[in-house]
Amino acid sequence: MKQVSILSSAVAAALFSQSTMAAVITGQVLDKNQQPISNAEIHVHGKSQSVVTDKQGQFKIDVDNKGQLHISKNNFIDKRIAINGEDQNVVVTLTPTSVETVVVYASALHKNSLEMISPVNVLAGDELKDKAKPTLGETLKGLPGVNASYFGPVSSSPIIRGLDGPRVKITQNGLDSSDASRIGPDHATSNDSLAAEQIEVLRGPATLLYGSGAIGGVVNVVDNRIPTDNIESLTGAAQYTHDTVSNTNTYAAKLETGNDGFNFHFDGTKRKGHDYDTPNFELPEEHEEHEEHEGEEHEEHDTANSVENTFIDSQTVNFGTSYVGDHLTLGVSFGRIETDYGIPAHEHHHHEEEEDHDEHEGEEEHEESVFAQLEQDRWQGYMSYALHDNWIENISLRVGYTDYKHAEIEDGAVGTVFTNKTTEARATVEHKLGLWHGMAGYHYTESDYDADGEEAFTPASVTKTNALFVLEERQFGDVTIELGARLEDYQIDSAVSMAEHHHDHDHDHEEEEEHHDEEEAEIINYSEDFTNLGLSAGAIWQYQEGQSVALSVSRSERAPLSAELLSNGIHIATGTYELGLGYHIEDGEIHFEPEDIKQETATNFDLSFRRFIGDFGYTVNFFYNDIENYYYQQNTGLVFDEEHGLESAADADEDAMAVYQFTSKDAKLYGIEFDVHYQVTPSALVKVFGDSTTAKLKDDEGYLPRIPANKLGSELQYTVSDWKFSLTGTHYFEQSDITAYETKTDGYTLFDASANYQLDLGPVDTQLYINVDNLTDELGFVHSSFIKEKAPLPGRNFSLGIRGYF
């Protein structure tokens, strides 16, 4: 309540302190040949409302005080000019750029992608629509430095520079997605890339504002569900796509309208597909089939040309509304997601009776499949008040509430249910203190996580964070420096159940069941507080027009998530028994002793070189990440058997599961990522991109597990008349830097092609397109996948579609 009271007072003060000054700025935007630029966007720095230039490049915008105009246009370098709060006329000349410039919403200070100190990638526009897949991981995996965890094509999360899971924050409009994708690789992210306006991938110090869970990076999905610009007429879009590799049909639609400052938004998607096809591959050998096929020595391995249980049936709907005034913007949105998707390689370690096999043979696949039912309701609210008076420029507040449910259906019945109810608020004040421009804020989250069922390997927990953060920047000629800090109080509470399981093989089955019923589990109420501190500093030097070099360093602390700290049980999706940091194994017994849990502390260095002017451009990033107390899963050398409990792997049955325990050791990750492009002719563009990541423990203790393979690719884009063509080839190198319990992954090369035709249908901007993924039908296995041998990448896929805008 105290925080709410302070915020309310600040908003009230802002509402009654606005300036009575008013002025009109008129002007014209031209290119270097003094030709007018139409549809360039102009807004006053710190305000949401904007205007665009007409066909003559002219514009008119109202201001209430001195400040700064921000002028932007695709394929031109942004420009900022000072205004004095009085009527004036300006002429602005924009310089063309060799790469698209877009404002990065997650940057906090309205920076575009070329002004960022930290490395950033942005997918937007038609490029995003062409690359959009059912999951964020598959959508983004072609970007330099980004890969995918790949638990099948419908459950795949982004990996940034070798880091994923709890180290990569996935947000929607700056607020946490609040699903269960950070708990296990088989849990899909709840973000839909089809409805996004753009998707941003941030690394380095820019991630500091988003909390300790963003050590590896931030993926921010930006949509317009709460419109922040006035919509003057009815606009919309519709899209249909058919994928042949999984016989998937996808429909998407969007409508927006507005009147007199009030705006409305609707979008929805529907996607339904079946198991996906692959090139022919050998299935891993199943132990239980050895005796059955003992005499068939010529059939060493079974083969398959599809991955079973990878279907998807998903629908989303979102509504939003807002009021956008001269100073005040208020809005709210609601979104609903319902998705059923198959979980491949989800095997249970028990044997079912096969007496009725012949009778139910036709029903076997349906009855034995394990799939997830994902449901999510998400509310978001937004308030922004632009003052442009004195030292406060803007006050904003984002709030969100998410009710997430993930049920796993086994043989037609509900097995395990995961729920996560999250409340989040982020309040910021943008200000100017002398020559410093910055933002200060408060961030609150409360996550109530629960799991019930056979796969509930992590106990219920409530996690709360309260954080204060600040980000400041200042220009010194051609150099801009940026300083940031975040102080976070992180609290986790859980009731940990510890049952001692005794196994006496002299008792018969009934006596064992009676003993089990009488057994009472010991409940340990666990509560722990951590204080996480993050600091960052960086600078960018624009040493020539369109060329820059940036250097940044950050140090941030992270406390363990409940899954890393409290896991104790069978994780069926990965086929392992998982133990958290808080447990200790002694004489074959598991004890909960969460003592001396140290925070993970990452010190990250980034050095970037960029050129984005003329026909030739590039972005090259070097990074080094030194992490103390890096949390990772280590093979204990023990196995878990449901009958015998923990025992040595040498004495175990074939169905016993390896026991992996989270531990912490010092680690280092370093590498390079690059994107080079050359405009050969006005119609032809060539790109070369790639990345390399090395991740190992210090003191020569070996490599970290499941680190993505290095990749190198090239893309050719060609436009002629109303046609646009592209051909991309990406080689994924062999991954042999592995741990003792991993296997080497062979390299492979994927070729993708696309063709896009622009139709002239009057008021409707229509495009026909065909994308061909894996043109040569190459067999590829993803090293970062937990089920790489059972779920190779899809085979040749033709995506046929049409999209229209009005």
Side-chain angles (χ1 to χ4, degrees), residues 582-623:
Y583 294 91
H584 175 68
I585 300 174
E586 184 177 354
D587 297 329
E589 297 290 340
I590 299 171
H591 304 279
F592 186 60
E593 299 177 358
E595 300 175 358
D596 195 26
I597 302 296
K598 297 180 180 179
Q599 291 145 290
E600 189 176 86
T601 303
T603 303
N604 184 75
F605 299 89
D606 263 289
L607 177 63
S608 301
F609 299 90
R610 303 168 192 160
R611 175 188 168 94
F612 42 86
I613 191 171
D615 295 331
F616 176 69
Y618 55 80
T619 299
V620 182
N621 304 319
F622 298 91
F623 66 91

Side-chain angles (χ1 to χ4, degrees), residues 248-556:
T248 297
N249 293 304
T250 303
Y251 309 84
K254 179 177 74 171
L255 288 173
E256 293 183 335
T257 189
N259 182 50
D260 197 24
F262 291 93
N263 309 282
F264 303 92
H265 171 98
F266 162 81
D267 72 74
T269 61
K270 169 67 176 177
R271 179 185 286 113
K272 188 170 185 178
H274 304 277
D275 296 348
Y276 72 90
D277 297 330
T278 70
N280 199 57
F281 71 100
E282 292 184 346
L283 290 169
E285 192 173 358
E286 298 292 344
H287 297 294
E288 59 268 23
E289 296 179 357
H290 285 190
E291 294 181 4
E292 180 181 351
H293 299 288
E294 189 174 359
E296 303 179 19
E297 297 181 359
H298 61 283
E299 291 185 4
E300 295 183 0
H301 295 279
D302 291 333
T303 61
N305 55 16
S306 67
V307 178
E308 295 182 359
N309 205 26
T310 53
F311 72 90
I312 186 171
D313 187 354
S314 174
Q315 46 273 329
T316 68
V317 62
N318 298 276
F319 299 91
T321 184
S322 68
Y323 169 76
V324 179
D326 290 338
H327 292 268
L328 180 66
T329 299
L330 286 172
V332 64
S333 69
F334 170 76
R336 170 75 176 176
I337 301 172
E338 295 180 358
T339 300
D340 291 358
Y341 66 92
I343 305 176
H346 203 289
E347 299 169 352
H348 293 264
H349 291 260
H350 62 269
H351 299 283
E352 298 181 1
E353 297 296 332
E354 299 180 359
E355 295 176 0
D356 299 328
H357 179 270
D358 295 334
E359 179 181 351
H360 301 287
E361 185 174 2
E363 303 175 10
E364 183 178 2
E365 181 178 351
H366 173 73
E367 291 179 349
E368 294 183 357
S369 65
V370 178
F371 67 95
Q373 284 186 342
L374 186 158
E375 297 177 2
Q376 178 176 281
D377 292 329
R378 183 179 179 89
W379 292 89
Q380 282 195 329
Y382 176 66
M383 184 281 294
S384 174
Y385 190 82
L387 285 82
H388 264 270
D389 190 17
N390 300 323
W391 61 279
I392 297 180
E393 293 185 325
N394 181 277
I395 297 174
S396 68
L397 173 67
R398 287 191 181 273
V399 295
Y401 175 76
T402 303
D403 188 351
Y404 171 91
K405 179 181 178 181
H406 171 113
E408 296 192 350
I409 312 302
E410 307 173 15
D411 297 334
V414 176
T416 306
V417 178
F418 301 87
T419 61
N420 190 15
K421 297 181 180 180
T422 303
T423 304
E424 185 173 9
R426 178 185 291 271
T428 60
V429 177
E430 189 174 349
H431 57 264
K432 192 170 185 179
L433 300 174
L435 298 177
W436 289 88
H437 172 232
M439 176 177 288
Y442 166 73
H443 187 198
Y444 169 80
T445 62
E446 179 178 345
S447 176
D448 187 350
Y449 166 81
D450 195 9
D452 183 28
E454 182 181 356
E455 200 177 339
F457 59 94
T458 301
S461 62
V462 176
T463 305
K464 295 181 181 179
T465 65
N466 289 274
L468 297 173
F469 59 86
V470 62
L471 184 68
E472 303 289 336
E473 69 170 8
R474 179 179 172 180
Q475 283 188 294
F476 295 87
D478 295 328
V479 177
T480 302
I481 66 170
E482 187 176 278
L483 304 175
R486 178 185 173 101
L487 183 64
E488 176 183 273
D489 176 69
Y490 179 98
Q491 179 181 345
I492 183 169
D493 294 279
S494 180
V496 180
S497 175
M498 289 297 297
E500 295 185 5
H501 300 282
H502 302 281
H503 303 277
D504 190 342
H505 304 294
D506 295 332
H507 292 351
D508 60 26
H509 183 67
E510 292 182 0
E511 290 175 336
E512 287 185 7
E513 285 189 350
E514 182 179 353
H515 175 74
H516 179 75
D517 292 338
E518 293 176 354
E519 181 180 326
E520 292 186 1
E522 178 187 2
I523 303 298
I524 301 174
N525 292 319
Y526 175 74
S527 180
E528 187 63 68
D529 268 296
F530 298 89
T531 300
N532 300 316
L533 176 64
L535 300 170
S536 69
I540 184 169
W541 176 30
Q542 305 279 354
Y543 60 91
Q544 288 186 16
E545 185 180 26
Q547 299 186 60
S548 65
V549 57
L551 176 65
S552 59
V553 59
S554 63
R555 182 174 176 85
S556 50

